[in-house]
Amino acid sequence: MKRSEERAYNIQKVIKTAQSLFISDGIAATPITRIAEAANLTPTSLYRYFQNKDALVFAAWQDALVTFYSAFMERYVRITPKPQNGYEKFVACMDIYFSFYHEMPEWYDYTREMFSSYSEKNQDNEVKNVFWKYYDKEIPIPVLKALREGVADGSIRPDVNIYAVYQCLLNAYTGTTIYENVSFGVSPVEIVRFTGELIANYIKNEC
């Protein structure tokens, strides 16, 4: 293996190893030394690829988003019957998001930690830059497109502020404003489901 190929291989191995540990155990609870050990590298070797832990955190986060979106779109294009209008596409997106959160509840904690922890560290813009790097390729952009289409085709109420709806969903997906409700015995996944269903009922054009 060429040196450049070995470097690319090791970088990807470190990213995937770190991502797995961040999702299972949390970012703050996962030191660089543990990531290096799990990747069969020394901490010194790891620092050759990533300047510091934050650089690795963002690389793992971007990779996770791309993986999540790819899995989402794979399911979205297989939907039968196909959604016919913007409202139906919105509901289809909700159903897929719910299924992912039920299958991978730890993803919700990972997303929440990225937004909350790095906002506190004044790196919120960097988090968002990663989250929105590709306009058509990150969650929950497909929902925003469905909302716009629904207003245009009449399946969603014309008086709905789609950006306000979008922000409510973004808050639900990232846990930035509702996560504290878990202390009352409501799981994060159920909060997301409730939020999505409530909004779906509100925006539907019954005319």
Side-chain angles (χ1 to χ4, degrees):
M1 183 183 296
K2 296 179 180 178
R3 182 170 296 181
S4 59
E5 293 175 339
E6 181 180 6
R7 177 181 175 80
Y9 172 80
N10 284 337
I11 288 174
Q12 191 61 23
K13 180 170 68 171
V14 170
I15 287 174
K16 290 296 187 183
T17 300
Q19 184 185 112
S20 178
L21 291 172
F22 292 156
I23 292 175
S24 64
D25 300 338
I27 299 168
T30 305
I32 282 289
T33 51
R34 187 176 174 208
I35 297 170
E37 181 181 4
N40 295 318
L41 296 169
T42 65
T44 301
S45 296
L46 192 149
Y47 281 120
R48 292 196 190 104
Y49 307 125
F50 298 95
Q51 183 178 6
N52 50 46
K53 182 179 177 180
D54 284 346
L56 176 53
V57 166
F58 283 112
W61 174 235
Q62 181 170 329
D63 182 84
L65 287 173
V66 172
T67 300
F68 187 98
Y69 177 81
S70 297
F72 167 86
M73 286 306 299
E74 183 179 335
R75 295 190 187 188
Y76 188 73
V77 298
R78 292 203 316 259
I79 294 174
T80 305
K82 297 296 182 183
Q84 299 300 308
N85 56 47
Y87 179 79
E88 291 179 0
K89 291 178 181 179
F90 174 88
V91 173
C93 287
M94 297 296 96
D95 289 341
I96 296 172
Y97 291 143
F98 298 151
S99 68
F100 272 123
Y101 287 127
H102 276 292
E103 294 168 19
M104 303 181 294
E106 65 276 8
W107 169 267
Y108 191 96
D109 294 329
Y110 178 45
T111 301
R112 180 189 62 84
E113 186 175 8
M114 278 300 305
F115 273 83
S116 61
S117 297
Y118 281 83
S119 293
E120 292 172 4
K121 293 175 68 173
N122 296 319
Q123 290 181 292
D124 186 46
N125 285 337
E126 192 167 353
V127 173
K128 290 178 179 176
N129 286 341
V130 173
F131 197 68
W132 306 121
K133 185 171 182 180
Y134 305 105
Y135 181 78
D136 290 328
K137 295 186 178 181
E138 306 296 356
I139 61 171
I141 289 295
V143 171
L144 179 58
K145 295 172 73 174
L147 287 167
R148 288 173 173 164
E149 186 175 329
V151 171
D153 65 30
S155 59
I156 290 176
R157 289 169 40 187
D159 61 325
V160 166
N161 184 330
I162 62 174
Y163 294 100
V165 171
Y166 179 62
Q167 186 60 54
C168 288
L169 290 173
L170 178 59
N171 289 344
Y173 295 144
T174 60
T176 51
T177 61
I178 60 175
Y179 194 80
E180 63 272 15
N181 292 330
V182 176
S183 61
F184 295 99
V186 181
S187 74
V189 172
E190 290 308 311
I191 293 172
V192 174
R193 176 177 288 279
F194 175 78
T195 303
E197 291 176 350
L198 188 68
I199 292 175
N201 289 329
Y202 170 71
I203 67 174
K204 186 175 183 181
N205 192 349
E206 301 290 355
C207 299

PDB file of all heavy atoms in Angstrom, residues 156-167:
ATOM      1  N   ILE A 156     -50.801  21.696   1.359  1.00  0.00           N
ATOM      2  CA  ILE A 156     -50.483  22.300   2.654  1.00  0.00           C
ATOM      3  C   ILE A 156     -51.117  23.683   2.699  1.00  0.00           C
ATOM      4  O   ILE A 156     -51.117  24.412   1.702  1.00  0.00           O
ATOM      5  CB  ILE A 156     -48.960  22.380   2.859  1.00  0.00           C
ATOM      6  CG1 ILE A 156     -48.391  20.969   3.068  1.00  0.00           C
ATOM      7  CG2 ILE A 156     -48.595  23.264   4.056  1.00  0.00           C
ATOM      8  CD1 ILE A 156     -46.882  20.911   3.191  1.00  0.00           C
ATOM      9  N   ARG A 157     -51.656  24.039   3.845  1.00  0.00           N
ATOM     10  CA  ARG A 157     -52.349  25.315   3.992  1.00  0.00           C
ATOM     11  C   ARG A 157     -51.477  26.484   3.523  1.00  0.00           C
ATOM     12  O   ARG A 157     -50.299  26.565   3.884  1.00  0.00           O
ATOM     13  CB  ARG A 157     -52.723  25.539   5.462  1.00  0.00           C
ATOM     14  CG  ARG A 157     -53.828  24.651   5.966  1.00  0.00           C
ATOM     15  CD  ARG A 157     -53.963  24.716   7.461  1.00  0.00           C
ATOM     16  NE  ARG A 157     -53.793  26.068   7.998  1.00  0.00           N
ATOM     17  CZ  ARG A 157     -53.739  26.352   9.302  1.00  0.00           C
ATOM     18  NH1 ARG A 157     -53.820  25.380  10.190  1.00  0.00           N
ATOM     19  NH2 ARG A 157     -53.600  27.592   9.698  1.00  0.00           N
ATOM     20  N   PRO A 158     -52.045  27.399   2.765  1.00  0.00           N
ATOM     21  CA  PRO A 158     -51.252  28.507   2.220  1.00  0.00           C
ATOM     22  C   PRO A 158     -50.812  29.517   3.277  1.00  0.00           C
ATOM     23  O   PRO A 158     -49.870  30.274   3.041  1.00  0.00           O
ATOM     24  CB  PRO A 158     -52.203  29.150   1.205  1.00  0.00           C
ATOM     25  CG  PRO A 158     -53.574  28.801   1.687  1.00  0.00           C
ATOM     26  CD  PRO A 158     -53.438  27.414   2.265  1.00  0.00           C
ATOM     27  N   ASP A 159     -51.508  29.529   4.435  1.00  0.00           N
ATOM     28  CA  ASP A 159     -51.157  30.500   5.475  1.00  0.00           C
ATOM     29  C   ASP A 159     -50.092  29.985   6.431  1.00  0.00           C
ATOM     30  O   ASP A 159     -49.705  30.678   7.372  1.00  0.00           O
ATOM     31  CB  ASP A 159     -52.405  30.877   6.280  1.00  0.00           C
ATOM     32  CG  ASP A 159     -53.029  29.672   6.980  1.00  0.00           C
ATOM     33  OD1 ASP A 159     -52.992  28.568   6.394  1.00  0.00           O
ATOM     34  OD2 ASP A 159     -53.560  29.836   8.083  1.00  0.00           O
ATOM     35  N   VAL A 160     -49.600  28.776   6.187  1.00  0.00           N
ATOM     36  CA  VAL A 160     -48.597  28.186   7.070  1.00  0.00           C
ATOM     37  C   VAL A 160     -47.241  28.847   6.850  1.00  0.00           C
ATOM     38  O   VAL A 160     -46.805  29.030   5.709  1.00  0.00           O
ATOM     39  CB  VAL A 160     -48.482  26.665   6.828  1.00  0.00           C
ATOM     40  CG1 VAL A 160     -47.228  26.097   7.489  1.00  0.00           C
ATOM     41  CG2 VAL A 160     -49.709  25.952   7.357  1.00  0.00           C
ATOM     42  N   ASN A 161     -46.580  29.205   7.935  1.00  0.00           N
ATOM     43  CA  ASN A 161     -45.214  29.720   7.869  1.00  0.00           C
ATOM     44  C   ASN A 161     -44.287  28.507   7.848  1.00  0.00           C
ATOM     45  O   ASN A 161     -43.990  27.925   8.887  1.00  0.00           O
ATOM     46  CB  ASN A 161     -44.914  30.609   9.068  1.00  0.00           C
ATOM     47  CG  ASN A 161     -43.537  31.246   9.006  1.00  0.00           C
ATOM     48  OD1 ASN A 161     -42.592  30.686   8.437  1.00  0.00           O
ATOM     49  ND2 ASN A 161     -43.397  32.424   9.599  1.00  0.00           N
ATOM     50  N   ILE A 162     -43.848  28.117   6.649  1.00  0.00           N
ATOM     51  CA  ILE A 162     -43.096  26.875   6.535  1.00  0.00           C
ATOM     52  C   ILE A 162     -41.756  26.951   7.256  1.00  0.00           C
ATOM     53  O   ILE A 162     -41.233  25.925   7.702  1.00  0.00           O
ATOM     54  CB  ILE A 162     -42.893  26.469   5.063  1.00  0.00           C
ATOM     55  CG1 ILE A 162     -42.083  27.516   4.312  1.00  0.00           C
ATOM     56  CG2 ILE A 162     -44.220  26.218   4.385  1.00  0.00           C
ATOM     57  CD1 ILE A 162     -41.733  27.087   2.880  1.00  0.00           C
ATOM     58  N   TYR A 163     -41.195  28.142   7.401  1.00  0.00           N
ATOM     59  CA  TYR A 163     -39.913  28.253   8.082  1.00  0.00           C
ATOM     60  C   TYR A 163     -40.067  28.099   9.593  1.00  0.00           C
ATOM     61  O   TYR A 163     -39.178  27.572  10.275  1.00  0.00           O
ATOM     62  CB  TYR A 163     -39.237  29.576   7.719  1.00  0.00           C
ATOM     63  CG  TYR A 163     -38.864  29.618   6.258  1.00  0.00           C
ATOM     64  CD1 TYR A 163     -39.658  30.303   5.342  1.00  0.00           C
ATOM     65  CD2 TYR A 163     -37.764  28.917   5.776  1.00  0.00           C
ATOM     66  CE1 TYR A 163     -39.342  30.304   3.989  1.00  0.00           C
ATOM     67  CE2 TYR A 163     -37.439  28.918   4.440  1.00  0.00           C
ATOM     68  CZ  TYR A 163     -38.234  29.614   3.545  1.00  0.00           C
ATOM     69  OH  TYR A 163     -37.918  29.596   2.207  1.00  0.00           O
ATOM     70  N   ALA A 164     -41.223  28.526  10.123  1.00  0.00           N
ATOM     71  CA  ALA A 164     -41.504  28.308  11.546  1.00  0.00           C
ATOM     72  C   ALA A 164     -41.700  26.815  11.812  1.00  0.00           C
ATOM     73  O   ALA A 164     -41.216  26.274  12.811  1.00  0.00           O
ATOM     74  CB  ALA A 164     -42.740  29.096  11.969  1.00  0.00           C
ATOM     75  N   VAL A 165     -42.412  26.149  10.902  1.00  0.00           N
ATOM     76  CA  VAL A 165     -42.602  24.693  11.013  1.00  0.00           C
ATOM     77  C   VAL A 165     -41.259  23.989  10.946  1.00  0.00           C
ATOM     78  O   VAL A 165     -40.949  23.082  11.730  1.00  0.00           O
ATOM     79  CB  VAL A 165     -43.523  24.183   9.879  1.00  0.00           C
ATOM     80  CG1 VAL A 165     -43.547  22.654   9.843  1.00  0.00           C
ATOM     81  CG2 VAL A 165     -44.938  24.727  10.059  1.00  0.00           C
ATOM     82  N   TYR A 166     -40.460  24.415  10.002  1.00  0.00           N
ATOM     83  CA  TYR A 166     -39.129  23.839   9.802  1.00  0.00           C
ATOM     84  C   TYR A 166     -38.267  23.976  11.047  1.00  0.00           C
ATOM     85  O   TYR A 166     -37.574  23.043  11.460  1.00  0.00           O
ATOM     86  CB  TYR A 166     -38.504  24.559   8.612  1.00  0.00           C
ATOM     87  CG  TYR A 166     -37.110  24.122   8.239  1.00  0.00           C
ATOM     88  CD1 TYR A 166     -36.863  22.820   7.842  1.00  0.00           C
ATOM     89  CD2 TYR A 166     -36.051  25.033   8.239  1.00  0.00           C
ATOM     90  CE1 TYR A 166     -35.588  22.433   7.464  1.00  0.00           C
ATOM     91  CE2 TYR A 166     -34.790  24.643   7.858  1.00  0.00           C
ATOM     92  CZ  TYR A 166     -34.559  23.349   7.474  1.00  0.00           C
ATOM     93  OH  TYR A 166     -33.311  22.966   7.106  1.00  0.00           O
ATOM     94  N   GLN A 167     -38.322  25.153  11.697  1.00  0.00           N
ATOM     95  CA  GLN A 167     -37.530  25.373  12.901  1.00  0.00           C
ATOM     96  C   GLN A 167     -38.003  24.479  14.040  1.00  0.00           C
ATOM     97  O   GLN A 167     -37.193  23.945  14.802  1.00  0.00           O
ATOM     98  CB  GLN A 167     -37.619  26.846  13.327  1.00  0.00           C
ATOM     99  CG  GLN A 167     -36.703  27.190  14.503  1.00  0.00           C
ATOM    100  CD  GLN A 167     -35.241  26.947  14.190  1.00  0.00           C
ATOM    101  OE1 GLN A 167     -34.724  27.463  13.201  1.00  0.00           O
ATOM    102  NE2 GLN A 167     -34.565  26.155  15.001  1.00  0.00           N
TER     103      GLN A 167
END
